[in-house]
Amino acid sequence: MRDEDARSILIRNDRGGYTVPNGRVYPFQWNWDSAFVALGFTAFDLDRAWREIESLFEAQWPDGFVPHIVFWKDDPGYFPGPDRWDTKTRPLTSGITQPPVAATVVRDLWMQGGEQVRDRMAALFPKLMAWTRWFRTHRDFEGRGLVVALHPWETGRDNSPEWDEPGAAIDTSDVAPYQRRDTSHLDAAMRPTTAEYDRYVALVDYGRERGWDHARLARENPFRVADVGMTMILLRADRDLLALAEALGRDAEAEELRGYIARAEQGVDWLWNAEVGAYCSRDVLTGRSSGFVTSASFLGFYAGLSDPERDKAVLAALTRIGEAVRYLVPSLDPHDPGFQMIRYWRGPVWAVLNYMIGRGLEEAGQEGLARRVREDTRDLIRQSGFYEAFDPTTGAPTGGDDFSWTAAVWLCWAGR
Ligand code: GLC
């Protein structure tokens, strides 16, 4: 029954070539949601899976940037909509990006489709390559192979406490009045606060006033944080893109990617926080490590990193967290005083993070923890349904229902 329910969520949220994360709260195409959704479609419609990624890349900008939202059609149910972003592009999009999981997904689709889909893979390859170059051109910090986020929404983990201190530098005194839409759909206790929203909107205004000039924003933006999540995800994506380059005989690009990978493998040292024994995001403007252990801190295995000392510390942290809550992996360490069971990225479990963490653990041969993460994800969905996120202590649902990427994670991983 669950499989059928999951499939029908994807079909219902399909708007013809792209899928909305949730019909009411998120009525447009979102970047990394679409990538995960494509994995869900592989369970019953391979052609549709490719289409999801292809439609996302139809919104790519000439400089290689791939936006976090594509406004194919307007919808009053979400703020900030296309007017506030005012990117003047066709199609209209947002001006910020999101974690680059697409290359990893394309490799998976290709593995499943074989020779028959080689042309589709080859057509996407230069676009994926351009996006990676965009990150390396505009978002790398001192060429270290890290990813700098200019907006909390870029990290995909909107209100993680990692952004609290760096976010204090954002001037919100001038933000023109606006009306949030999310809190008319959902309980405000599950959502970011008003103060956080003011910062989100102030950064949108800041980018718009500078015409979304990526080079300039990279130099001047008041919020610049090396995000552990995006850094790990791009490192993984570059490894998968390298496999595609090799299969296509694209030697120059393969060499270029090997350079990016080598740099990132060194660069992550800057994110390692020996005091807490985990990878943590770090403010580029002040140099300070956040010190927060979040679910993104466990993406090192997914990124293909291996270091006996660090791995031991990370596995110990995950085990300790697993003893404190019934369901792994909470978005914030439950021992942290700021842990909140239902408030978005300050505690709840997210199926897509579990998918990446679980897959990484499995690849690293950490079978016990890999199984626990996968079974916890399965139990959460069985117990509560295809919600946006889940309370790690009780498994109760939080956020919106009928979420596309939760259904997708069920179909490609948790429910199998
Ligand atoms: C929220 C999430 C983000 C996701 C989006 C659409 O903003 O934090 O990760 O992409 O919703 O589901």
Side-chain angles (χ1 to χ4, degrees), residues 254-273:
E255 212 32 47
E256 184 182 340
L257 287 162
R258 283 187 205 103
Y260 295 155
I261 292 165
R263 240 194 280 163
E265 284 174 339
Q266 299 294 314
V268 293
D269 284 353
W270 199 64
L271 300 184
W272 180 254
N273 183 322

Side-chain angles (χ1 to χ4, degrees), residues 191-304:
R191 300 288 307 173
T193 62
T194 307
E196 283 160 345
Y197 241 81
D198 282 350
R199 290 178 181 179
Y200 303 154
V201 177
L203 287 175
V204 171
D205 292 346
Y206 187 93
R208 186 194 60 242
E209 282 156 13
R210 283 152 190 82
W212 299 111
D213 174 342
H214 293 141
R216 178 166 176 205
L217 290 172
R219 289 190 308 269
E220 298 174 5
N221 205 62
F223 179 91
R224 274 175 271 167
V225 180
D227 169 28
V228 65
M230 295 178 91
T231 297
M232 297 299 183
I233 287 168
L234 184 60
L235 173 50
R236 169 63 187 247
D238 280 352
R239 293 188 199 279
D240 291 315
L241 203 47
L242 174 59
L244 302 186
E246 285 170 345
L248 292 169
R250 307 286 289 254
D251 297 343
E253 285 96 336
E255 212 32 47
E256 184 182 340
L257 287 162
R258 283 187 205 103
Y260 295 155
I261 292 165
R263 240 194 280 163
E265 284 174 339
Q266 299 294 314
V268 293
D269 284 353
W270 199 64
L271 300 184
W272 180 254
N273 183 322
E275 226 171 284
V276 300
Y279 289 105
C280 300
S281 298
R282 199 160 163 170
D283 189 341
V284 164
L285 294 173
T286 62
R288 268 203 292 277
S289 171
S290 79
F292 287 109
V293 179
T294 67
S295 42
S297 301
F298 300 108
L299 289 173
F301 297 112
Y302 176 80

Side-chain angles (χ1 to χ4, degrees), residues 126-358:
K127 304 181 182 187
L128 292 163
M129 200 64 215
W131 194 19
T132 261
R133 285 189 185 121
W134 178 86
F135 274 110
R136 297 308 181 202
T137 306
H138 295 298
R139 299 306 188 79
D140 203 347
F141 172 56
E142 295 177 348
R144 291 176 196 245
L146 305 171
V147 177
V148 176
L150 301 190
H151 194 299
W153 286 341
E154 288 199 315
T155 70
R157 300 179 297 113
D158 307 5
N159 68 333
S160 170
E162 292 153 282
W163 327 131
D164 290 355
E165 213 183 283
I170 303 164
D171 178 8
T172 56
S173 60
D174 254 3
V175 178
Y178 65 93
Q179 189 169 10
R180 284 175 73 165
R181 296 286 147 71
D182 58 325
T183 40
S184 57
H185 303 298
L186 296 166
D187 179 355
M190 295 173 171
R191 300 288 307 173
T193 62
T194 307
E196 283 160 345
Y197 241 81
D198 282 350
R199 290 178 181 179
Y200 303 154
V201 177
L203 287 175
V204 171
D205 292 346
Y206 187 93
R208 186 194 60 242
E209 282 156 13
R210 283 152 190 82
W212 299 111
D213 174 342
H214 293 141
R216 178 166 176 205
L217 290 172
R219 289 190 308 269
E220 298 174 5
N221 205 62
F223 179 91
R224 274 175 271 167
V225 180
D227 169 28
V228 65
M230 295 178 91
T231 297
M232 297 299 183
I233 287 168
L234 184 60
L235 173 50
R236 169 63 187 247
D238 280 352
R239 293 188 199 279
D240 291 315
L241 203 47
L242 174 59
L244 302 186
E246 285 170 345
L248 292 169
R250 307 286 289 254
D251 297 343
E253 285 96 336
E255 212 32 47
E256 184 182 340
L257 287 162
R258 283 187 205 103
Y260 295 155
I261 292 165
R263 240 194 280 163
E265 284 174 339
Q266 299 294 314
V268 293
D269 284 353
W270 199 64
L271 300 184
W272 180 254
N273 183 322
E275 226 171 284
V276 300
Y279 289 105
C280 300
S281 298
R282 199 160 163 170
D283 189 341
V284 164
L285 294 173
T286 62
R288 268 203 292 277
S289 171
S290 79
F292 287 109
V293 179
T294 67
S295 42
S297 301
F298 300 108
L299 289 173
F301 297 112
Y302 176 80
L305 296 171
S306 128
D307 173 305
E309 280 298 301
R310 289 183 188 175
D311 294 354
K312 212 170 112 199
V314 168
L315 293 168
L318 191 56
T319 304
R320 178 171 49 76
I321 291 173
E323 284 161 5
V325 292
R326 162 65 187 85
Y327 300 96
L328 283 174
V329 178
S331 42
L332 177 62
D333 184 341
H335 303 90
D336 192 287
F339 173 74
Q340 296 182 53
M341 289 168 315
I342 63 163
R343 203 185 282 279
Y344 228 42
W345 292 93
R346 291 181 188 253
V349 178
W350 292 71
V352 289
L353 261 292
N354 275 15
Y355 165 71
M356 291 185 287
I357 295 166

Side-chain angles (χ1 to χ4, degrees), residues 57-91:
F57 278 84
E58 281 162 18
Q60 185 169 38
W61 291 16
D63 67 352
F65 163 89
V66 185
H68 102 295
I69 303 177
V70 189
F71 300 108
W72 293 108
K73 276 188 275 200
D74 205 357
D75 189 302
Y78 178 83
F79 175 86
D83 296 348
R84 192 80 175 211
W85 292 94
D86 193 24
T87 55
K88 304 183 174 37
T89 51
R90 284 281 167 272

Side-chain angles (χ1 to χ4, degrees), residues 20-22 25-26 28-34 36 68-69 78 98-99 152-159 191-192 197 344-345 350 352-353 388 403-405:
V20 297
N22 166 291
V25 194
Y26 296 108
F28 308 110
Q29 182 172 30
W30 256 260
N31 186 321
W32 73 329
D33 295 67
S34 269
F36 290 113
H68 102 295
I69 303 177
Y78 178 83
Q98 249 191 342
W153 286 341
E154 288 199 315
T155 70
R157 300 179 297 113
D158 307 5
N159 68 333
R191 300 288 307 173
Y197 241 81
Y344 228 42
W345 292 93
W350 292 71
V352 289
L353 261 292
E388 188 172 15
F403 248 78
S404 297
W405 66 6

Side-chain angles (χ1 to χ4, degrees), residues 2 15 52 125 160 243 245 261 263 267 290 329 364 367 378:
R2 282 285 177 213
R15 296 289 178 272
E52 189 74 29
F125 176 79
S160 170
I261 292 165
R263 240 194 280 163
S290 79
V329 178
E367 279 159 30
R378 188 196 59 200

